[in-house]
Every structure is written in C-alpha cells, then in structure tokens.
C-alpha cells in the first residue's frame, strides 16, 4: 500500500514529525454509506453516564470510553470487515450493523454504570427504532453483546477500581513532589501500572529527565511560570487567562468533542467513524497510563512548591515567594511530564493522521468562563499547542513539562494508529 507522507510542524513542542496516511484508510463514502450518527450518539451517552457536565471520572472515564468504542468497532467489523478487530474476532455477515454497534456500547456502559441502566436501556431502544424485528436484528444484538463481553473480560483484572487516593512520600529533597493544597494525596497511583490498551510497555516513550535544578533552562521555565502563571498576574493577558480555563476540563471530554466535530466536518460513514473513536480513546487511555508512569518515575515538584521553596534549589537565578499561588488549582499529581499535554497531542495526532491536519474548526468547553463562547483553530495540532500552553498560563506546569508531554503524545498517537485497527487485508 503506497503511503503519502506529509510533514507537520509543531509550534510549542518545536518538533517535526512525518504523518503517514493511506488512500485506503478512510473508505470512500460509496463504500461506507451508513451515517455515523450511532457512534456519535453513544459517545455522548457515555459522557452522560459518567456525569455529563458534572463529570468526575478522570482516567477511569478514558478507560470506559476506550472499551465502548473498541466494542462498537469490533462488532461492526465482525459484520463488515473493513478494519482489523481489536479483541473480539466474531464473524456474521448477515447481522444488523446498527443493532450490533448499539448493543456493544450498551453492554459496556451497563456493566460500567449499573445504576444508569434505565437511561441506557432507553437509549438502546431509541437506537433500535429504525431496525425492524428480524433475524438480522437478533444476530446484530448477539454480536454486539459478545463484543462488549470480550473487551470487558480483557479489562476485568486491570485494577481500575482500586482506591484512587494514594499517599505522598515525605521528602526534604529539592525538586521532589510535595502535596499542593488543598490536596494532601496523589491521585490514582494504580494508573502508573494500569494495563495498557495499545502500548507495549509503560516506559515505551519515557521522556528524558527534566532540567537540572541548577541549570539556566530550569531557571527560565521557573521564572516564566512564576511571572505569568500566578493568580492575578499582570503579565498574563485576558486571552491567555481565558484559554487557561477553556482547556482546564478533563482531556477525554475535550478531545472526544474535537473528534465529533472532525468526523462531522469530514462527513465520515459509520465504519470509519467507529475506527476514529476506537483509536482516539485507546490513545487517550494509554496517554494517562504512560504519563502517570513517567510522573511517578521522576516525581518532580509542581511550580507551587518550587516557587515557595526556591531558596533550596541551589539556583542563583530563582527567587522564592512564599505567598505564590497558581491561577488555577493544581491537580494532585506530579509535574513532569504534563499528562494534559500528552493526551492533547496524542489526540491531535490520531485525528490528524485519520482526518488530515488541514481542517479548521471551532469548539466550546465545559470549563470556559463563558459557556457560550467558542475558540477557533486552524487544525488539530494548533489546538494541541494551545492546550499545552494553557497549563503554563494556569500556573500548574513548567514549560518543559508541557513540551515533554507533547512529544510523548505525538509518539503515542502515531503508535496507536500504525499498529491497531488497520485496514483489513
């Protein structure tokens, strides 16, 4: 299969990578005539089941999204084998595609949110309204249930439901993580060894160490976030404050929204859309796992601690400020790398490779100051650049943590697309 290579420049990350697309990755509309509405609908149902605008399932939510979309993808390709299946290897060419996809999503979500069963049953009924009662429908429901069971069985022992509150090791060593108020714990320590969806190992794309505390590079990043990331900073513009809040929402919410916009703009059919969401959410889930592993590996302090304890870092170019506060609350996890940036670039890379990186789009955010406001981007990677920069504007990451996260995310996104759900031979 001939590959068309194109070069994509990354602004903030300062990286250049080659994106490979093939003519056959997205079937022509004539070969994929069914609308993608079913995939988009169940993507939103998954968000609603997880809490909707009150969503509070970081990490865990990305795992559930990945399972939902893998099950839908596998069920569809058991009937119409356009792409390689992930775990479920069933085969029934006479089953209903719509019934299979809906039953697959319903099966995963019902197991994940049993308390939402009534809402999920109602959504399944809506999805099946256009599918007449027939052997084809029954076969589709059977395929969907089997696909859901397959991914649930594969993830049954991944410890996702372990206690998400972990202890913080006491330390006096400069550069090591300390708790940042109001949190006195580390969130979801089990995620550093969470079973992976696509990567071969957690340290597959481990970034190099952060700059030495006594280096000029560290001092430059320190002084930048101290100046521009502080609460009520006079150096941060109104626009920078706005996008610090805009991108503050959990990454799996934002990048699934971007994907919904992208596949609509591209006018993809059912099969191609199922693949996009399966690969995207596998990449996002593994970005959390791999990013968490890297955070624990380096255990680097957040700007809050670094700035307040700067008189201990051995760097003459940094000065302490015991009253310094970040513009936005600091999550209870280590600084390096910025996992928000890992997810952002992993998501943007997957979407760029599958949809192209020349698609202008507008989007809103659940954490925007004005919930009716929208931001416009030239392409997915431009959005990822602003996403990474927002963490510095928010005062919760050093610039080098965001840049390391972006480079890591690029590699994860490329790996997932190149190794999973490829066009069937």
């Amino acid at each position: 299969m001939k590959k068309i290579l194109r070069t994509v420049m990354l602004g903030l990350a300062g990286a250049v990578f080659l994106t490979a697309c093939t003519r056959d990755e997205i079937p022509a509309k004539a070969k994929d005539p069914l609308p993608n509405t079913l995939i988009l609908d169940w993507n939103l149902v998954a968000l609603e089941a997880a809490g909707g605008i009150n969503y509070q399932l970081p990490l865990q939510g990305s795992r559930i999204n990945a399972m939902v979309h893998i099950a839908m993808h596998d069920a569809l390709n058991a009937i119409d084998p356009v792409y390689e299946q992930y775990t479920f290897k069933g085969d029934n060419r006479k089953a209903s595609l719509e019934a299979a996809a809906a039953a697959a999503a319903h099966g995963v979500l019902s197991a994940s949110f049993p308390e939402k069963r009534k809402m999920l049953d109602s959504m399944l009924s809506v999805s099946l309204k256009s599918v007449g009662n027939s052997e084809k429908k029954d076969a589709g429901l059977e395929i969907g249930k089997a696909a859901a069971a397959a991914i649930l069985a594969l993830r049954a022992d991944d410890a996702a439901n372990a206690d998400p509150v972990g202890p913080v090791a006491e330390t006096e060593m400069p550069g090591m993580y300390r708790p940042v108020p109001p949190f006195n714990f580390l969130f979801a320590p089990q995620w550093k060894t969470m079973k992976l969806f696509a990567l071969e190992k957690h340290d597959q794309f481990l970034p190099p160490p952060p700059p030495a505390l006594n280096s000029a590079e560290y001092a430059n990043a320190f002084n930048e976030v101290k100046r521009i990331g502080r609460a009520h900073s006079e150096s941060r513009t109104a626009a920078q404050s706005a996008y610090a809040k805009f991108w503050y929402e959990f990454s799996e919410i934002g990048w699934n929204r971007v994907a919904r916009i992208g596949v609509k703009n591209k006018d993809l059919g059912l099969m191609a859309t199922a693949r996009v969401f399966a690969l995207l959410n596998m990449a996002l889930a593994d970005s959390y796992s791999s990013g968490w592993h890297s955070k624990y590996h380096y255990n680097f302090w957040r700007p809050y601690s670094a700035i307040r304890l700067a008189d201990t870092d051995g760097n003459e170019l940094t000065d302490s400020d015991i009253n310094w506060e970040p513009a936005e609350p600091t999550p209870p996890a280590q600084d390096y790398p910025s996992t928000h940036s890992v997810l952002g670039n992993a998501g943007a890379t997957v979407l760029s490779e599958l949809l192209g990186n020349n698609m202008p789009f507008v989007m809103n955010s659940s954490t925007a100051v004005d919930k009716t406001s929208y931001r416009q981007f030239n392409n997915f990677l431009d959005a990822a650049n602003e996403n990474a920069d927002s963490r510095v504007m928010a005062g919760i990451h050093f610039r080098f943590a965001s840049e390391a996260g972006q480079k890591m995310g690029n590699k994860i996104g490329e790996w997932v697309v190149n190794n999973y759900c490829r066009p069937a031979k």
Side-chain angles (χ1 to χ4, degrees):
M1 186 178 296
K2 294 182 179 179
K3 291 186 177 180
I4 302 171
L5 297 178
R6 68 183 183 276
T7 302
V8 181
M9 297 298 296
L10 290 183
L12 292 175
V16 178
F17 67 96
L18 293 177
T19 303
C21 288
T22 68
R23 290 191 177 95
D24 294 330
E25 279 183 343
I26 300 176
K29 194 69 175 177
K31 297 179 182 179
D32 192 7
L34 290 175
N36 60 17
T37 308
L38 196 65
I39 307 299
L40 303 181
D41 286 347
W42 280 97
N43 181 261
L44 289 172
V45 171
L47 175 60
E48 181 63 25
I53 60 173
N54 298 313
Y55 179 94
Q56 291 296 326
L57 282 180
L59 285 72
Q60 177 72 294
S62 72
R63 168 186 173 271
I64 294 171
N65 283 341
M67 291 194 297
V68 166
H69 287 289
I70 287 170
M72 296 180 84
H73 173 274
D74 281 359
L76 289 171
N77 284 280
I79 302 166
D80 185 8
V82 179
Y83 302 110
E84 296 173 351
Q85 291 156 282
Y86 176 83
T87 186
F88 174 64
K89 306 300 182 182
D91 184 358
N92 186 340
R93 309 298 173 89
K94 297 181 179 180
S96 163
L97 289 165
E98 297 94 330
H106 177 271
V108 172
L109 290 172
S110 296
S112 303
F113 302 105
E115 74 281 5
K116 302 292 179 67
R117 184 63 184 260
K118 183 176 180 180
M119 181 271 285
L120 295 169
D121 287 350
S122 176
M123 184 60 199
L124 180 61
S125 296
V126 171
S127 294
L128 296 176
K129 273 188 176 180
S130 62
V131 182
N133 292 324
S134 64
E135 292 182 4
K136 188 174 182 179
K137 173 185 174 182
D138 293 340
L141 292 174
E142 183 178 347
I143 285 286
K145 292 175 182 177
I151 189 62
L152 287 167
L154 185 67
R155 304 296 305 187
D157 60 350
D158 66 7
N161 294 316
D163 187 351
V165 176
V168 180
E170 294 186 11
T171 180
E172 297 296 326
M173 184 178 297
M176 293 294 99
Y177 181 79
R178 275 99 160 153
V180 177
F183 306 107
N184 62 354
F185 61 88
L186 281 168
F187 181 70
Q190 75 271 26
W191 232 262
K192 67 181 183 292
T193 55
M194 178 61 57
K195 185 175 185 177
L196 296 162
F197 281 93
L199 298 184
E200 293 181 333
K201 53 184 182 177
H202 291 83
D203 61 354
Q204 186 170 341
F205 300 118
L206 182 73
L213 295 185
N214 61 358
S215 68
E217 182 182 358
Y218 173 78
N220 289 337
F222 173 100
N223 287 313
E224 178 191 30
V225 71
K226 180 183 179 183
R227 172 180 54 83
I228 205 167
R230 71 183 309 141
H232 312 298
S233 171
E234 296 180 358
S235 299
R236 190 178 56 250
T237 68
Q240 289 169 330
S241 294
Y243 69 71
K245 289 184 178 294
F246 185 93
W247 287 105
Y248 195 77
E249 70 177 351
F250 296 122
S251 294
E252 59 271 30
I253 299 179
W255 287 99
N256 274 276
R257 183 188 302 114
V258 174
R260 291 194 297 272
I261 295 168
V263 298
K264 287 179 182 178
N265 289 349
K266 197 75 174 181
D267 194 26
L268 292 194
L270 179 68
M271 305 300 291
T273 298
R275 180 193 186 217
V276 168
F277 278 91
L279 291 174
L280 170 69
N281 285 290
M282 287 164 60
L284 295 179
D286 276 6
S287 291
Y288 268 133
S289 299
S290 186
W292 239 242
H293 177 274
S294 298
K295 283 180 179 292
Y296 275 86
H297 180 81
Y298 290 115
N299 199 36
F300 201 71
W301 60 9
R302 289 278 189 164
Y304 175 93
S305 303
I307 293 168
R308 288 174 168 239
L309 298 171
D311 56 355
T312 69
D313 65 17
N315 195 320
E316 295 181 354
L317 300 176
T318 65
D319 293 320
S320 66
D321 180 350
I322 61 172
N323 297 311
W324 191 89
E325 296 282 348
E328 301 295 333
T330 301
Q334 300 92 330
D335 176 76
Y336 187 86
S338 161
T339 312
H340 204 74
S341 303
V342 179
L343 270 80
N345 272 68
T349 298
V350 169
L351 296 178
S352 295
E353 297 228 12
L354 300 183
L355 304 178
N357 196 39
N358 57 351
M359 184 187 294
F361 67 95
V362 295
M363 65 176 284
N364 58 4
S365 167
S366 63
T367 55
V369 176
D370 179 358
K371 299 300 187 293
T372 64
S373 67
Y374 288 78
R375 295 191 68 78
Q376 183 171 352
F377 303 97
N378 293 324
N379 51 57
F380 302 121
L381 292 169
D382 278 355
N385 286 339
E386 186 176 274
N387 171 74
D389 187 56
S390 75
R391 306 309 260 185
V392 181
M393 300 303 112
I396 60 179
H397 275 297
F398 293 103
R399 174 75 60 189
F400 52 75
S402 291
E403 291 178 347
Q406 287 194 275
K407 293 174 183 176
M408 191 174 176
N410 293 339
K411 295 173 182 177
I412 292 172
E414 289 177 333
W415 174 268
V416 172
V417 170
N418 289 335
N419 289 278
Y420 290 89
C421 304
R422 294 170 296 193
K425 297 178 181 179

